Coordinates of all heavy atoms in Angstrom, one line a residue:
M222 N 52.4 -1.5 -45.4 CA 50.9 -1.1 -45.8 C 50.3 -2.3 -46.3 O 50.8 -3.1 -47.1 CB 51.1 0.0 -46.7 CG 49.8 0.7 -47.1 SD 50.0 2.0 -48.3 CE 48.4 2.2 -48.9
I223 N 49.0 -2.3 -46.1 CA 48.1 -3.4 -46.5 C 47.5 -3.0 -47.9 O 47.0 -2.0 -48.0 CB 47.0 -3.8 -45.5 CG1 47.7 -4.1 -44.1 CG2 46.2 -4.9 -46.0 CD1 46.6 -4.2 -43.0
R224 N 47.7 -3.9 -48.8 CA 47.2 -3.6 -50.1 C 45.8 -4.3 -50.2 O 45.7 -5.5 -50.1 CB 48.1 -4.1 -51.3 CG 49.3 -3.3 -51.3 CD 50.0 -3.5 -52.7 NE 50.7 -2.3 -53.2 CZ 50.1 -1.4 -54.0 NH1 48.9 -1.6 -54.4 NH2 50.8 -0.4 -54.4
V225 N 44.7 -3.5 -50.5 CA 43.4 -4.0 -50.7 C 42.8 -3.3 -51.9 O 42.9 -2.2 -52.0 CB 42.5 -3.7 -49.5 CG1 41.1 -4.2 -49.5 CG2 43.2 -4.2 -48.1
D226 N 42.2 -4.1 -52.8 CA 41.6 -3.6 -53.9 C 40.2 -3.0 -53.5 O 39.6 -3.4 -52.5 CB 41.6 -4.5 -55.1 CG 40.9 -5.8 -55.0 OD1 40.0 -5.8 -54.0 OD2 41.1 -6.7 -55.8
L227 N 39.6 -2.4 -54.5 CA 38.3 -1.7 -54.2 C 37.2 -2.7 -53.9 O 36.4 -2.4 -53.0 CB 38.0 -0.8 -55.4 CG 36.7 0.1 -55.2 CD1 37.0 1.1 -54.1 CD2 36.4 0.8 -56.4
A228 N 37.1 -3.9 -54.6 CA 36.1 -4.8 -54.3 C 36.1 -5.4 -52.9 O 35.2 -5.5 -52.2 CB 36.1 -5.9 -55.3
E229 N 37.3 -5.7 -52.5 CA 37.6 -6.2 -51.1 C 37.2 -5.1 -50.0 O 36.7 -5.4 -49.0 CB 39.1 -6.7 -50.9 CG 39.3 -8.0 -51.7 CD 40.8 -8.3 -51.6 OE1 41.6 -7.4 -51.2 OE2 41.1 -9.5 -51.9
L230 N 37.5 -3.9 -50.3 CA 37.3 -2.8 -49.4 C 35.8 -2.7 -49.2 O 35.3 -2.5 -48.1 CB 37.9 -1.5 -49.9 CG 38.0 -0.4 -48.9 CD1 39.0 -0.8 -47.8 CD2 38.4 0.9 -49.6
V231 N 35.1 -2.7 -50.4 CA 33.6 -2.6 -50.3 C 33.0 -3.7 -49.5 O 32.1 -3.6 -48.7 CB 33.0 -2.4 -51.7 CG1 31.5 -2.6 -51.7 CG2 33.4 -1.1 -52.4
F232 N 33.5 -5.0 -49.8 CA 33.1 -6.2 -49.2 C 33.3 -6.0 -47.6 O 32.4 -6.4 -46.8 CB 33.8 -7.4 -49.7 CG 33.4 -8.6 -49.1 CD1 32.1 -9.2 -49.3 CD2 34.3 -9.3 -48.2 CE1 31.7 -10.4 -48.6 CE2 34.0 -10.5 -47.5 CZ 32.7 -11.0 -47.8
L233 N 34.5 -5.6 -47.3 CA 34.8 -5.5 -45.8 C 33.9 -4.4 -45.2 O 33.5 -4.6 -44.1 CB 36.3 -5.0 -45.7 CG 37.3 -6.3 -45.8 CD1 38.7 -5.7 -45.8 CD2 37.1 -7.3 -44.7
Y234 N 33.7 -3.5 -45.9 CA 32.9 -2.3 -45.3 C 31.4 -2.9 -45.0 O 30.8 -2.6 -43.9 CB 32.8 -1.1 -46.3 CG 31.8 0.0 -45.9 CD1 32.1 0.8 -44.8 CD2 30.6 0.1 -46.5 CE1 31.2 1.8 -44.5 CE2 29.7 1.0 -46.2 CZ 30.1 1.9 -45.1 OH 29.2 2.9 -44.7
L235 N 31.0 -3.6 -46.1 CA 29.5 -4.1 -45.9 C 29.5 -5.2 -44.9 O 28.6 -5.2 -44.0 CB 29.1 -4.7 -47.2 CG 28.6 -3.7 -48.2 CD1 28.3 -4.5 -49.6 CD2 27.4 -2.9 -47.8
L236 N 30.5 -6.0 -44.8 CA 30.6 -7.0 -43.7 C 30.6 -6.4 -42.4 O 29.8 -6.8 -41.5 CB 31.8 -7.9 -43.9 CG 31.9 -9.2 -43.1 CD1 30.8 -10.1 -43.6 CD2 33.2 -9.7 -43.1
V237 N 31.4 -5.5 -42.1 CA 31.5 -4.8 -40.8 C 30.2 -4.1 -40.5 O 29.6 -4.1 -39.4 CB 32.7 -3.8 -40.7 CG1 32.6 -2.9 -39.5 CG2 34.0 -4.6 -40.9
F238 N 29.6 -3.4 -41.4 CA 28.3 -2.7 -41.3 C 27.2 -3.7 -40.9 O 26.5 -3.5 -39.9 CB 28.0 -1.9 -42.6 CG 26.9 -1.0 -42.4 CD1 27.0 0.1 -41.7 CD2 25.7 -1.4 -43.0 CE1 26.0 1.0 -41.6 CE2 24.6 -0.4 -42.9 CZ 24.8 0.7 -42.2
L239 N 27.2 -4.8 -41.6 CA 26.2 -5.8 -41.2 C 26.3 -6.5 -39.9 O 25.4 -6.7 -39.1 CB 26.1 -6.9 -42.4 CG 25.4 -6.4 -43.7 CD1 25.5 -7.5 -44.7 CD2 24.0 -6.0 -43.6
V240 N 27.6 -6.8 -39.6 CA 27.9 -7.3 -38.2 C 27.5 -6.4 -37.1 O 26.9 -6.7 -36.1 CB 29.4 -7.7 -38.2 CG1 29.8 -8.1 -36.8 CG2 29.6 -9.0 -39.0
A241 N 27.8 -5.1 -37.3 CA 27.4 -4.1 -36.4 C 25.9 -4.0 -36.2 O 25.4 -3.9 -35.0 CB 28.0 -2.7 -36.8
I242 N 25.2 -3.9 -37.3 CA 23.7 -3.9 -37.2 C 23.2 -5.1 -36.5 O 22.2 -5.0 -35.7 CB 23.1 -3.7 -38.7 CG1 23.3 -2.4 -39.2 CG2 21.6 -4.1 -38.7 CD1 22.9 -2.1 -40.6
F243 N 23.7 -6.3 -36.9 CA 23.2 -7.6 -36.3 C 23.5 -7.6 -34.8 O 22.6 -8.0 -34.0 CB 24.0 -8.7 -37.0 CG 23.4 -10.0 -36.6 CD1 22.1 -10.3 -37.1 CD2 24.1 -11.0 -35.8 CE1 21.7 -11.7 -36.7 CE2 23.6 -12.2 -35.5 CZ 22.4 -12.6 -36.0
A244 N 24.7 -7.1 -34.3 CA 25.0 -7.0 -32.9 C 24.1 -6.1 -32.1 O 23.6 -6.4 -31.1 CB 26.5 -6.6 -32.7
V245 N 23.8 -4.9 -32.8 CA 22.9 -4.0 -32.2 C 21.5 -4.6 -32.0 O 20.8 -4.4 -31.0 CB 22.8 -2.7 -32.9 CG1 21.7 -1.8 -32.5 CG2 24.2 -1.9 -32.8
W246 N 21.1 -5.3 -33.1 CA 19.7 -5.9 -33.1 C 19.7 -6.9 -32.1 O 18.7 -7.0 -31.3 CB 19.6 -6.5 -34.5 CG 18.3 -7.3 -34.7 CD1 17.1 -7.0 -34.0 CD2 18.0 -8.3 -35.7 NE1 16.1 -7.9 -34.5 CE2 16.6 -8.7 -35.5 CE3 18.7 -9.0 -36.6 CZ2 16.0 -9.7 -36.3 CZ3 18.2 -9.9 -37.4 CH2 16.8 -10.2 -37.3
I247 N 20.7 -7.9 -31.9 CA 20.6 -8.9 -30.8 C 20.6 -8.3 -29.4 O 19.8 -8.7 -28.6 CB 21.8 -9.9 -31.0 CG1 21.8 -10.5 -32.3 CG2 22.0 -10.8 -29.8 CD1 20.7 -11.5 -32.4
A248 N 21.4 -7.2 -29.3 CA 21.5 -6.6 -27.9 C 20.1 -5.9 -27.6 O 19.6 -6.1 -26.5 CB 22.6 -5.5 -27.9
Y249 N 19.6 -5.3 -28.6 CA 18.2 -4.6 -28.4 C 17.2 -5.7 -28.0 O 16.3 -5.5 -27.2 CB 17.9 -3.9 -29.7 CG 16.5 -3.2 -29.5 CD1 16.3 -2.0 -28.8 CD2 15.4 -3.8 -30.1 CE1 15.1 -1.4 -28.8 CE2 14.1 -3.3 -30.1 CZ 14.0 -2.1 -29.4 OH 12.7 -1.5 -29.2
E250 N 17.2 -6.8 -28.7 CA 16.2 -7.8 -28.6 C 16.3 -8.5 -27.2 O 15.3 -8.7 -26.4 CB 16.4 -8.9 -29.6 CG 15.2 -10.0 -29.6 CD 13.9 -9.4 -30.0 OE1 13.9 -8.3 -30.7 OE2 12.9 -9.9 -29.7
M251 N 17.6 -8.7 -26.7 CA 17.8 -9.2 -25.4 C 17.3 -8.3 -24.3 O 16.7 -8.6 -23.3 CB 19.3 -9.4 -25.1 CG 19.8 -10.7 -25.9 SD 21.6 -10.9 -25.9 CE 21.8 -11.2 -24.1
V252 N 17.6 -7.0 -24.4 CA 17.2 -5.9 -23.5 C 15.7 -5.8 -23.5 O 15.0 -5.9 -22.4 CB 17.7 -4.5 -23.8 CG1 17.0 -3.5 -23.0 CG2 19.3 -4.6 -23.5
R253 N 15.0 -6.0 -24.6 CA 13.6 -5.9 -24.7 C 12.9 -7.2 -24.0 O 11.9 -7.0 -23.3 CB 13.2 -6.0 -26.2 CG 11.6 -5.6 -26.5 CD 11.3 -5.8 -27.8 NE 11.4 -7.2 -28.4 CZ 10.5 -8.1 -28.1 NH1 9.4 -7.8 -27.4 NH2 10.6 -9.3 -28.4
R254 N 13.5 -8.3 -24.2 CA 13.0 -9.5 -23.5 C 13.1 -9.4 -22.0 O 12.2 -9.8 -21.3 CB 13.6 -10.7 -24.1 CG 13.2 -11.1 -25.4 CD 13.6 -12.5 -25.8 NE 13.2 -12.7 -27.2 CZ 13.1 -13.9 -27.8 NH1 13.6 -14.9 -27.0 NH2 12.7 -14.1 -28.9
V255 N 14.3 -8.9 -21.5 CA 14.4 -8.8 -20.1 C 13.4 -7.8 -19.5 O 12.8 -8.1 -18.5 CB 15.9 -8.3 -19.8 CG1 16.0 -7.9 -18.4 CG2 16.9 -9.5 -20.1
R256 N 13.3 -6.7 -20.2 CA 12.3 -5.7 -19.7 C 10.9 -6.2 -19.7 O 10.1 -6.1 -18.8 CB 12.3 -4.4 -20.6 CG 13.5 -3.5 -20.3 CD 13.4 -2.3 -21.1 NE 14.5 -1.4 -20.8 CZ 14.9 -0.4 -21.6 NH1 14.2 -0.2 -22.7 NH2 16.0 0.3 -21.2
E257 N 10.5 -7.0 -20.9 CA 9.1 -7.6 -20.9 C 8.9 -8.6 -19.9 O 7.9 -8.7 -19.2 CB 9.0 -8.2 -22.3 CG 7.4 -8.3 -22.7 CD 7.3 -8.5 -24.2 OE1 8.0 -7.7 -25.0 OE2 6.6 -9.4 -24.6
N258 N 9.9 -9.5 -19.5 CA 9.8 -10.5 -18.5 C 9.6 -9.8 -17.2 O 8.8 -10.2 -16.4 CB 11.0 -11.4 -18.5 CG 10.9 -12.4 -19.6 OD1 9.7 -12.7 -20.1 ND2 11.9 -13.0 -20.0
R259 N 10.4 -8.7 -17.0 CA 10.3 -8.0 -15.7 C 8.9 -7.4 -15.6 O 8.3 -7.4 -14.4 CB 11.3 -7.0 -15.6 CG 11.9 -6.7 -14.3 CD 13.0 -5.7 -14.3 NE 14.3 -6.4 -14.7 CZ 15.4 -5.9 -15.0 NH1 15.5 -4.6 -15.2 NH2 16.6 -6.5 -15.3
S260 N 8.4 -6.9 -16.6 CA 7.1 -6.3 -16.5 C 5.9 -7.3 -16.3 O 4.9 -7.0 -15.8 CB 6.8 -5.4 -17.7 OG 6.4 -6.1 -18.9
R261 N 6.1 -8.5 -16.9 CA 5.2 -9.6 -16.7 C 5.3 -10.4 -15.5 O 4.7 -11.4 -15.2 CB 5.2 -10.5 -17.9 CG 4.7 -9.9 -19.2 CD 5.0 -10.8 -20.4 NE 4.3 -10.2 -21.6 CZ 3.2 -10.7 -22.1 NH1 2.7 -11.8 -21.7 NH2 2.7 -10.1 -23.2
K262 N 6.3 -10.1 -14.7 CA 6.6 -11.0 -13.5 C 5.4 -11.2 -12.6 O 5.2 -12.3 -12.1 CB 7.8 -10.3 -12.7 CG 8.3 -11.2 -11.6 CD 9.5 -10.5 -11.0 CE 10.0 -11.4 -9.9 NZ 11.1 -10.7 -9.1
H263 N 4.6 -10.1 -12.4 CA 3.5 -10.2 -11.4 C 2.2 -10.4 -12.3 O 1.1 -10.2 -11.6 CB 3.4 -9.0 -10.6 CG 4.7 -8.9 -9.7 ND1 5.0 -9.9 -8.7 CD2 5.7 -8.0 -9.6 CE1 6.2 -9.5 -8.2 NE2 6.6 -8.4 -8.7
R264 N 2.1 -10.6 -13.5 CA 1.0 -10.6 -14.2 C 0.3 -12.0 -14.1 O 1.1 -13.0 -14.3 CB 1.2 -10.3 -15.7 CG -0.1 -10.1 -16.4 CD 0.1 -9.5 -17.8 NE 0.6 -8.1 -17.5 CZ 0.9 -7.2 -18.5 NH1 0.9 -7.6 -19.8 NH2 1.3 -6.0 -18.3
V265 N -0.9 -12.1 -13.9 CA -1.6 -13.4 -13.8 C -2.8 -13.4 -14.8 O -3.5 -12.4 -15.0 CB -2.1 -13.6 -12.4 CG1 -2.9 -14.9 -12.3 CG2 -1.1 -13.5 -11.4
R266 N -3.0 -14.5 -15.5 CA -4.1 -14.6 -16.4 C -5.1 -15.6 -15.8 O -4.8 -16.6 -15.4 CB -3.7 -15.1 -17.7 CG -4.9 -15.4 -18.7 CD -4.6 -15.9 -20.0 NE -4.1 -14.8 -20.8 CZ -3.5 -15.0 -22.0 NH1 -3.2 -16.3 -22.4 NH2 -2.9 -14.0 -22.7
C267 N -6.3 -15.0 -15.7 CA -7.5 -15.8 -15.1 C -7.7 -17.0 -15.9 O -7.9 -16.9 -17.2 CB -8.7 -15.0 -14.8 SG -10.0 -16.0 -14.2
A268 N -7.8 -18.3 -15.4 CA -8.2 -19.4 -16.2 C -9.6 -19.6 -16.6 O -10.0 -20.2 -17.4 CB -7.8 -20.7 -15.4
V269 N -10.5 -18.7 -15.8 CA -11.9 -18.8 -16.1 C -12.3 -17.8 -17.2 O -13.0 -18.1 -18.2 CB -12.7 -18.6 -14.9 CG1 -14.2 -18.6 -15.2 CG2 -12.4 -19.8 -13.9
C270 N -12.0 -16.4 -16.9 CA -12.5 -15.4 -17.7 C -11.3 -14.8 -18.7 O -11.6 -14.0 -19.4 CB -13.1 -14.3 -17.0 SG -12.0 -13.4 -15.9
A271 N -10.0 -15.3 -18.6 CA -9.0 -14.9 -19.4 C -8.6 -13.5 -19.2 O -7.9 -12.9 -20.0 CB -9.2 -15.2 -20.8
M272 N -9.0 -12.9 -18.1 CA -8.5 -11.5 -17.7 C -7.1 -11.5 -17.3 O -6.8 -12.4 -16.5 CB -9.5 -10.9 -16.7 CG -9.1 -9.5 -16.4 SD -10.1 -8.9 -14.9 CE -9.4 -7.3 -14.7
E273 N -6.3 -10.6 -17.7 CA -5.0 -10.4 -17.2 C -5.0 -9.4 -16.2 O -5.5 -8.3 -16.4 CB -4.0 -10.2 -18.3 CG -3.8 -11.3 -19.2 CD -2.6 -11.1 -20.2 OE1 -2.0 -10.2 -20.1 OE2 -2.4 -12.0 -21.1
F274 N -4.3 -9.6 -15.0 CA -4.3 -8.6 -14.0 C -2.9 -8.7 -13.3 O -2.2 -9.7 -13.3 CB -5.4 -8.7 -13.0 CG -5.5 -10.0 -12.3 CD1 -5.0 -10.2 -11.0 CD2 -6.1 -11.1 -13.0 CE1 -5.0 -11.5 -10.4 CE2 -6.2 -12.4 -12.4 CZ -5.7 -12.6 -11.1
E275 N -2.5 -7.6 -12.6 CA -1.3 -7.6 -11.8 C -1.6 -8.0 -10.4 O -2.6 -7.5 -9.8 CB -0.7 -6.2 -11.8 CG -0.4 -5.6 -13.2 CD 1.0 -6.3 -13.8 OE1 1.8 -6.6 -12.9 OE2 1.1 -6.5 -15.0
D276 N -0.7 -8.8 -9.9 CA -0.8 -9.2 -8.5 C 0.6 -9.4 -7.9 O 1.2 -10.3 -8.1 CB -1.6 -10.5 -8.4 CG -1.9 -10.9 -7.0 OD1 -2.9 -10.4 -6.3 OD2 -1.0 -11.6 -6.3
A277 N 1.0 -8.4 -7.1 CA 2.3 -8.4 -6.5 C 2.3 -9.0 -5.1 O 3.3 -8.9 -4.4 CB 2.9 -7.0 -6.6
T278 N 1.2 -9.5 -4.6 CA 1.1 -10.0 -3.3 C 1.7 -11.4 -3.3 O 1.8 -12.0 -4.3 CB -0.4 -10.1 -2.9 OG1 -1.0 -11.0 -3.7 CG2 -1.1 -8.8 -2.9
P279 N 2.2 -11.8 -2.1 CA 2.8 -13.1 -2.0 C 1.8 -14.3 -2.0 O 2.3 -15.5 -1.8 CB 3.6 -13.1 -0.8 CG 2.9 -12.1 0.1 CD 2.2 -11.1 -0.8
A280 N 0.5 -14.1 -2.3 CA -0.4 -15.2 -2.3 C -0.2 -16.2 -3.3 O 0.3 -15.9 -4.4 CB -1.9 -14.6 -2.5
I281 N -0.3 -17.4 -3.0 CA 0.0 -18.6 -3.9 C -1.1 -18.6 -5.0 O -0.7 -18.9 -6.1 CB 0.0 -19.9 -3.1 CG1 1.2 -19.8 -2.1 CG2 0.2 -21.0 -4.1 CD1 1.2 -21.0 -1.1
L282 N -2.3 -18.4 -4.6 CA -3.5 -18.4 -5.5 C -4.1 -17.1 -5.5 O -5.0 -16.8 -4.7 CB -4.5 -19.5 -5.1 CG -3.9 -20.9 -5.1 CD1 -5.0 -21.9 -4.7 CD2 -3.6 -21.3 -6.6
P283 N -3.7 -16.1 -6.4 CA -4.3 -14.8 -6.5 C -5.8 -14.9 -7.0 O -6.0 -15.7 -7.8 CB -3.4 -14.0 -7.4 CG -2.7 -15.0 -8.2 CD -2.6 -16.2 -7.3
R284 N -6.6 -14.0 -6.4 CA -8.0 -14.0 -6.8 C -8.2 -13.0 -7.9 O -7.8 -11.9 -7.9 CB -8.9 -13.6 -5.5 CG -10.4 -13.8 -5.8 CD -11.2 -13.6 -4.5 NE -10.9 -14.6 -3.5 CZ -11.5 -15.8 -3.5 NH1 -12.4 -16.1 -4.4 NH2 -11.2 -16.7 -2.6
C285 N -9.0 -13.5 -8.9 CA -9.3 -12.6 -10.1 C -10.2 -11.5 -9.6 O -11.3 -11.8 -9.1 CB -9.9 -13.5 -11.2 SG -10.6 -12.6 -12.6
P286 N -9.9 -10.2 -10.1 CA -10.9 -9.1 -9.6 C -12.2 -9.1 -10.4 O -13.1 -8.6 -10.0 CB -10.0 -7.9 -9.9 CG -9.0 -8.4 -10.9 CD -8.8 -9.8 -10.7
R287 N -12.3 -9.8 -11.6 CA -13.6 -9.8 -12.3 C -14.4 -10.9 -11.9 O -15.6 -10.6 -11.6 CB -13.2 -9.9 -13.8 CG -14.4 -9.7 -14.7 CD -14.3 -10.2 -16.1 NE -13.5 -9.2 -17.0 CZ -13.0 -9.6 -18.1 NH1 -13.2 -10.8 -18.6 NH2 -12.3 -8.7 -18.8
C288 N -14.0 -12.2 -11.9 CA -14.9 -13.2 -11.6 C -14.7 -13.9 -10.2 O -15.5 -14.7 -9.8 CB -14.7 -14.3 -12.7 SG -13.2 -15.2 -12.7
G289 N -13.6 -13.5 -9.6 CA -13.4 -14.0 -8.2 C -12.8 -15.4 -8.1 O -12.7 -15.9 -6.9
S290 N -12.4 -16.0 -9.1 CA -11.9 -17.4 -9.0 C -10.4 -17.3 -8.7 O -9.7 -16.3 -8.9 CB -12.1 -18.1 -10.4 OG -11.2 -17.6 -11.3
L291 N -9.9 -18.4 -8.0 CA -8.5 -18.5 -7.6 C -7.7 -18.9 -8.8 O -8.1 -19.8 -9.5 CB -8.3 -19.4 -6.4 CG -9.1 -18.9 -5.2 CD1 -9.0 -20.0 -4.2 CD2 -8.5 -17.6 -4.6
N292 N -6.5 -18.4 -9.1 CA -5.7 -18.7 -10.2 C -4.3 -19.1 -9.8 O -3.7 -18.6 -8.8 CB -5.6 -17.6 -11.2 CG -6.9 -17.3 -11.8 OD1 -7.2 -18.1 -12.7 ND2 -7.6 -16.3 -11.3
E293 N -3.7 -20.1 -10.5 CA -2.3 -20.4 -10.3 C -1.3 -19.4 -11.0 O -1.8 -18.9 -12.0 CB -1.9 -21.8 -10.8 CG -2.6 -22.9 -9.9 CD -2.2 -24.3 -10.5 OE1 -1.0 -24.4 -11.0 OE2 -3.0 -25.2 -10.5
R294 N -0.2 -19.2 -10.5 CA 0.8 -18.3 -11.2 C 1.5 -19.1 -12.3 O 2.4 -20.0 -11.9 CB 1.8 -17.8 -10.1 CG 1.2 -16.8 -9.2 CD 2.2 -16.3 -8.2 NE 1.7 -15.5 -7.1 CZ 1.3 -14.3 -7.2 NH1 1.5 -13.6 -8.4 NH2 0.8 -13.7 -6.2
V295 N 1.1 -18.9 -13.5 CA 1.8 -19.5 -14.5 C 2.5 -18.6 -15.4 O 1.9 -17.5 -15.7 CB 0.7 -20.3 -15.5 CG1 1.4 -21.0 -16.6 CG2 -0.1 -21.3 -14.7
K296 N 3.8 -18.8 -15.7 CA 4.5 -17.9 -16.6 C 3.8 -17.6 -17.9 O 3.6 -18.7 -18.6 CB 5.9 -18.3 -16.7 CG 6.7 -18.2 -15.5 CD 8.2 -17.8 -15.8 CE 8.9 -17.3 -14.5 NZ 10.1 -16.6 -14.9
L297 N 3.7 -16.4 -18.2 CA 3.0 -16.1 -19.6 C 4.1 -16.1 -20.6 O 5.1 -15.6 -20.4 CB 2.3 -14.8 -19.5 CG 1.1 -14.6 -18.6 CD1 0.6 -13.2 -18.5 CD2 0.0 -15.5 -18.9
K298 N 3.8 -16.7 -21.8 CA 4.8 -16.9 -22.8 C 4.9 -15.5 -23.5 O 4.1 -14.8 -23.7 CB 4.3 -17.9 -23.8 CG 4.6 -19.3 -23.3 CD 4.2 -20.3 -24.3 CE 4.3 -21.7 -23.8 NZ 3.9 -22.7 -24.7
V299 N 6.3 -15.3 -23.9 CA 6.6 -14.1 -24.6 C 7.0 -14.5 -26.0 O 7.8 -15.3 -26.1 CB 7.7 -13.3 -24.0 CG1 8.1 -12.1 -24.8 CG2 7.3 -12.9 -22.6
Y300 N 6.3 -14.0 -27.0 CA 6.7 -14.2 -28.4 C 7.5 -13.2 -29.0 O 7.3 -12.0 -28.7 CB 5.4 -14.5 -29.2 CG 4.7 -15.7 -28.6 CD1 3.5 -15.5 -27.9 CD2 5.2 -17.0 -28.9 CE1 2.7 -16.6 -27.4 CE2 4.4 -18.1 -28.4 CZ 3.3 -17.9 -27.7 OH 2.6 -19.0 -27.2
Ligands
LIG241 ZN1 -11.5 -14.2 -13.9

C-alpha cells in the first residue's frame, strides 16, 4: 500500500485536476483554430474597400462584389 499524507494527496488532486483542465483547454483551442481556418479558407478581403467576401471559385484573382476590383488570395490572420 502506498502511504500518502493529506497534504500530498491534496497536492496530487490539484495537480491532476489542473493538468486535465489544461489538456482540455489545449485540445479545444486546436479544434477551434482548425474550424476557423476551414471556415476562412475561401474568404477574401478586398484591398481597396476592405470588404470580406466568400469566393469558392478557382479564379486566381476574385472580383470584389462591392467595388469590382480584382484581389489576390491572401491568408487572413487568425488571432
Ligand atoms: Zn472592394
Side-chain angles (χ1 to χ4, degrees):
M222 188 175 157
I223 304 169
R224 291 196 146 264
V225 182
D226 63 16
L227 187 62
E229 288 175 344
L230 195 67
V231 169
F232 177 74
L233 282 174
Y234 175 76
L235 284 174
L236 190 72
V237 168
F238 190 70
L239 286 176
V240 166
I242 286 178
F243 192 68
V245 168
W246 180 24
I247 296 294
Y249 177 79
E250 191 66 22
M251 286 171 67
V252 168
R253 190 187 68 81
R254 285 191 181 193
V255 166
R256 282 185 182 163
E257 200 161 316
N258 282 337
R259 213 174 276 163
S260 74
R261 288 173 175 250
K262 190 177 178 185
H263 298 295
R264 189 167 294 174
V265 181
R266 177 181 282 164
C267 178
V269 177
C270 67
M272 180 189 176
E273 288 188 6
F274 57 97
E275 297 286 330
D276 185 86
T278 61
I281 297 170
L282 296 173
R284 189 171 291 277
C285 174
R287 186 194 284 169
C288 67
S290 70
L291 298 173
N292 292 280
E293 290 183 34
R294 293 181 189 276
V295 182
K296 286 214 167 195
L297 298 175
K298 288 183 180 176
V299 178
Y300 297 105

